[in-house]
Amino acid sequence: MKLINTFVLLLFCCSTAEAIDLAEMQKMALGNRQVVEQYVTRLAKSEEDITLAKAPYLPSVDIAYTVNTLNEDGTYENEQNSIVYGSVSYNIFAGFRDKYNIESAEMLRAVEAYSLEGIQQDLQLSVALAYLAVYERLANKKVAQSAFETLGRVYRDGESRFQVGLIGKNELLKFRVDYDNADITLKGADAGLKKSVNVLSRQVGSRIELSDLNFSEFEELPTLMDKDAYTVSMLETRSEIKALETLIGVSETQAKSEKSGYYPKLDLVGSYTLYDDDYVSGNGSYDDDELRAQLVLSMNLFRGYATQASVTKAKLSARATRYELEELKDNFTTDLDNLFIDFQVSLENVNVANRSIEQAEENLRITQLKYDEGLQRESDLLDAITSLSRAQYNYVTVLKTAFSNNFQLTRMVDGF
């Protein structure tokens, strides 16, 4: 981008020896912000869900100690007795429930990973936009500073003219009103700049000073991209889309898992039982122990339509997620189209705004010369100063819009 006026050149004169660039601030934000840790923790939690899903593939070991008191001795059991029981059981078949539960848990972990990618992209976009806001506020302050200094010179010149009788009191008051308004605008711009630095610091998660920034990322205008290529990339790589696609798989897998209720269940159980006729095992006068191996085949015949309802519920969940996915793709595609429209217009407007600054500067120069010769009124000079400020503000606005659209387009394809 060719910078053609002193105002724009001043925007890039604040670099420091140890400036922080956008990429470094984004990296700091990813390391500092608790919102990222929140999603990292959820991802770690999903890892434990996989471990839980794999648990049925390992044997279950149980031990129990039971103390019994009867009202009288029975044929096979004393009034006071105790039983030590231990068992090892292993499920051989459960209708493939465990297999599908593991697949579901692994896919849910992938969903959490996509969610983490999404929040990281959002955070980096927030940092970029906050950085851009500081750049815009600094540029606006420079415009306000330039207008304030120009009107200050005009006002002091007006005072000199008033003292020698070249202008009246009302003309001088006009200069003063505009001068005071420029002072108010400058103070507001300075406050806005300080607040924007605070917002940037919040997004980064660490204190950032204005002197740390050199805004080198804004020295050249971004170029217009291939919309079709961006659309394809967005639909393939956007983390939110991939998360919903994975959730559809989760629901389908859960439906298969619920179907296991229609199948028999086969368990292998080995147990040991020690009976003693005293509350404390080993202290009685009689004891008996037993080792038993069991192969248990069981099948549920009716569970109140719970199995059927669970399968149907999982299938409906998959269908609802498909609808949600299509809506999301349509929304993203529309947003992308609109961003490209805004981006293209903003790039064109930068050239228009540059030309307007040239014309406003020339208009001010000519008006100032005519005013010095007594050929222009005070209001014409004030209008020329206002026109230049407006042109400079417009330039800052369209430049900010162009970079904002570029950052948002980058986010649309998870490009940070």
Side-chain angles (χ1 to χ4, degrees):
M1 179 178 55
K2 183 177 180 181
L3 304 179
I4 61 174
N5 55 78
T6 304
F7 155 68
V8 180
L9 288 173
L10 289 174
L11 296 180
F12 309 112
C13 294
C14 57
S15 60
T16 61
E18 297 180 358
I20 303 175
D21 62 12
L22 175 59
E24 185 174 352
M25 286 188 289
Q26 290 172 326
K27 183 177 179 181
M28 292 170 61
L30 294 178
N32 294 338
R33 292 291 300 276
Q34 297 302 309
V35 66
V36 177
E37 292 303 317
Q38 175 185 341
Y39 281 80
V40 170
T41 303
R42 288 172 53 177
L43 180 60
K45 180 182 175 182
S46 67
E47 295 279 2
E48 299 305 316
D49 289 335
I50 294 177
T51 301
L52 290 174
K54 291 180 177 179
Y57 277 103
L58 299 175
S60 176
V61 180
D62 298 277
I63 187 171
Y65 187 84
T66 306
V67 175
N68 299 305
T69 299
L70 309 180
N71 59 343
E72 61 182 17
D73 289 341
T75 304
Y76 301 105
E77 190 173 4
N78 291 340
E79 177 183 356
Q80 299 178 357
N81 67 83
S82 63
I83 300 174
V84 176
Y85 176 81
S87 68
V88 177
S89 59
Y90 183 75
N91 173 254
I92 298 175
F93 180 75
F96 306 107
R97 173 185 294 273
D98 301 330
K99 172 180 179 293
Y100 292 125
N101 283 345
I102 293 175
E103 290 182 8
S104 177
E106 290 174 343
M107 284 189 283
L108 286 172
R109 181 201 175 281
V111 171
E112 292 297 341
Y114 291 137
S115 297
L116 176 59
E117 290 177 13
I119 197 63
Q120 289 174 333
Q121 289 290 319
D122 286 339
L123 182 55
Q124 291 179 90
L125 174 61
S126 297
V127 172
L129 293 178
Y131 182 39
L132 179 59
V134 175
Y135 171 79
E136 179 196 20
R137 297 297 176 86
L138 176 61
N140 284 338
K141 179 182 176 181
K142 291 182 181 295
V143 174
Q145 181 74 42
S146 176
F148 175 74
E149 293 173 355
T150 300
L151 287 167
R153 290 193 299 270
V154 171
Y155 175 70
R156 288 188 293 272
D157 178 68
E159 283 185 316
S160 300
R161 288 169 177 265
F162 173 71
Q163 290 172 0
V164 297
L166 294 178
I167 63 173
K169 182 70 172 178
N170 61 325
E171 285 89 356
L172 181 62
L173 291 176
K174 289 180 182 178
F175 289 138
R176 185 70 212 190
V177 169
D178 278 37
Y179 183 40
D180 288 343
N181 182 68
D183 188 21
I184 293 172
T185 302
L186 177 59
K187 288 184 173 65
D190 183 61
L193 175 60
K194 292 177 180 177
K195 289 190 290 185
S196 67
V197 173
N198 287 338
V199 172
L200 177 60
S201 298
R202 171 68 185 98
Q203 293 296 337
V204 173
S206 179
R207 184 61 196 170
I208 300 294
E209 301 295 338
L210 183 61
S211 58
D212 296 331
L213 310 174
N214 65 5
F215 307 107
S216 59
E217 291 83 357
F218 308 118
E219 292 180 2
E220 294 185 3
L221 276 176
T223 57
L224 192 62
M225 314 84 161
D226 183 348
K227 187 178 73 172
D228 292 337
Y230 254 59
T231 302
V232 172
S233 178
M234 177 190 69
L235 296 176
E236 290 179 351
T237 64
R238 181 83 184 211
S239 55
E240 289 87 345
I241 292 177
K242 293 167 73 174
L244 284 182
E245 290 173 341
T246 306
L247 279 176
I248 293 173
V250 170
S251 297
E252 292 174 342
T253 303
Q254 288 176 342
K256 295 177 182 178
S257 175
E258 294 298 336
K259 286 182 179 179
S260 64
Y262 293 124
Y263 294 93
K265 181 181 179 182
L266 184 63
D267 294 281
L268 179 63
V269 182
S271 64
Y272 172 76
T273 304
L274 174 63
Y275 172 84
D276 196 295
D277 62 353
D278 191 84
Y279 289 146
V280 179
S281 181
N283 286 351
S285 59
Y286 172 79
D287 61 56
D288 186 28
D289 62 348
E290 177 189 73
L291 280 172
R292 177 176 297 187
Q294 296 175 296
L295 188 63
V296 182
L297 179 65
S298 61
M299 183 176 180
N300 173 259
L301 298 180
F302 182 72
R303 203 154 57 102
Y305 304 107
T307 301
Q308 179 182 351
S310 297
V311 173
T312 303
K313 179 182 176 182
K315 290 181 178 180
L316 290 174
S317 179
R319 184 191 304 175
T321 306
R322 286 192 185 93
Y323 294 143
E324 183 180 357
L325 176 61
E326 291 306 313
E327 284 290 315
L328 183 65
K329 287 182 177 180
D330 290 342
N331 289 338
F332 279 164
T333 302
T334 302
D335 292 343
L336 187 67
D337 289 342
N338 290 338
L339 281 172
F340 266 100
I341 292 172
D342 292 339
F343 188 38
Q344 184 172 6
V345 171
S346 64
L347 291 178
E348 295 171 355
N349 286 342
V350 170
N351 294 326
V352 176
N354 255 326
R355 185 170 64 248
S356 295
I357 291 176
E358 289 180 337
Q359 295 169 345
E361 288 177 334
E362 182 63 12
N363 177 55
L364 177 58
R365 187 186 69 81
I366 294 173
T367 304
Q368 182 72 60
L369 291 174
K370 289 185 176 181
Y371 174 76
D372 293 340
E373 297 296 329
L375 301 176
Q376 294 274 200
R377 296 172 299 175
E378 291 76 12
S379 59
D380 294 327
L381 179 59
L382 293 174
D383 286 344
I385 296 172
T386 301
S387 294
L388 176 59
S389 295
R390 183 168 60 249
Q392 291 172 332
Y393 280 126
N394 285 341
Y395 179 83
V396 173
T397 299
V398 298
L399 198 63
K400 181 251 185 182
T401 302
F403 280 103
S404 175
N405 290 332
N406 181 59
F407 287 144
Q408 293 181 71
L409 284 169
T410 303
R411 171 65 185 98
M412 292 299 292
V413 296
D414 282 6
F416 284 113

